[in-house]
Amino acid sequence: MKKPWRIIVLILALLLAASPALAACVHNWVPSGTQEPPTCTKNGWVLMICDQCGANKTDVVPALGHDPGGWKVKTPPTCIDTGMDHQTCNRCGAELATASIAALGHDPSAWTVKIPPTCTADGVSHQTCNRCGIELATAPIPKLGHSYGAWQVTVPPTCTADGETRATCSRCGAQVSNPIPKLGHDSS
């Protein structure tokens, strides 16, 4: 009875070898075209189909990881406030890192006249920041004082009345006068 059993096994083996559909398939996996691409942070997948028997499976495609781009200014610094640089992913745009940019500090300009001095009042000079325009410092400018020209006789003296001389400031037009004593009578 042992021989018929061996004959049946041999016949089955021959049949299986002769018919690939009846034998276990050695899969030849090909992409089906159905897929979800991976992102920087999430795995993707591809549906694979055996071109021999039609079986299918899903292959995992690992997440790509971020692709760091160059550093760019996110917030420019000012004279008194810090700024911010940041680095983003070239693929998904996610912000990956930030770094502080030091405040610039003020850039003092040359001293300029804010309020010019006059003959009778002090003036003011000031210094501003070339970047932000804020006034950084002020300093007084001493008043100029009058600049009187030559004295001119405006009322000549007489024998019985005093005369007058007058000088005029060349900057502001202010006038000052002085009396000229009367001449008196000439007794000669």
Side-chain angles (χ1 to χ4, degrees), residues 41-65:
T41 58
K42 182 180 168 192
N43 290 338
W45 55 267
V46 175
L47 180 63
M48 305 295 284
I49 296 180
C50 175
D51 66 358
Q52 302 288 319
C53 69
N56 64 58
K57 71 174 186 168
T58 302
D59 281 352
V60 174
V61 180
L64 301 171

Side-chain angles (χ1 to χ4, degrees), residues 50-180:
C50 175
D51 66 358
Q52 302 288 319
C53 69
N56 64 58
K57 71 174 186 168
T58 302
D59 281 352
V60 174
V61 180
L64 301 171
H66 289 297
D67 178 19
W71 286 87
K72 294 179 183 171
V73 174
K74 182 177 183 178
T75 307
T78 66
C79 293
I80 56 175
D81 294 323
T82 59
M84 185 71 64
D85 269 347
H86 71 144
Q87 185 181 39
T88 58
C89 175
N90 288 327
R91 271 191 287 276
C92 71
E95 186 173 76
L96 305 176
T98 60
S100 181
I101 305 171
L104 302 172
H106 290 297
D107 179 19
S109 67
W111 286 88
T112 58
V113 174
K114 182 178 180 181
I115 301 170
T118 65
C119 295
T120 58
D122 289 341
V124 176
S125 65
H126 70 150
Q127 190 177 39
T128 59
C129 175
N130 288 323
R131 271 190 284 277
C132 71
I134 191 171
E135 186 173 73
L136 301 174
T138 61
I141 303 172
K143 62 185 167 188
L144 302 173
H146 292 294
S147 176
Y148 291 113
W151 289 91
Q152 296 182 358
V153 176
T154 55
V155 177
T158 65
C159 295
T160 57
D162 291 337
E164 180 183 79
T165 60
R166 192 173 286 172
T168 303
C169 176
S170 62
R171 282 191 279 270
C172 72
Q175 294 183 340
V176 63
S177 60
N178 283 327
I180 303 172

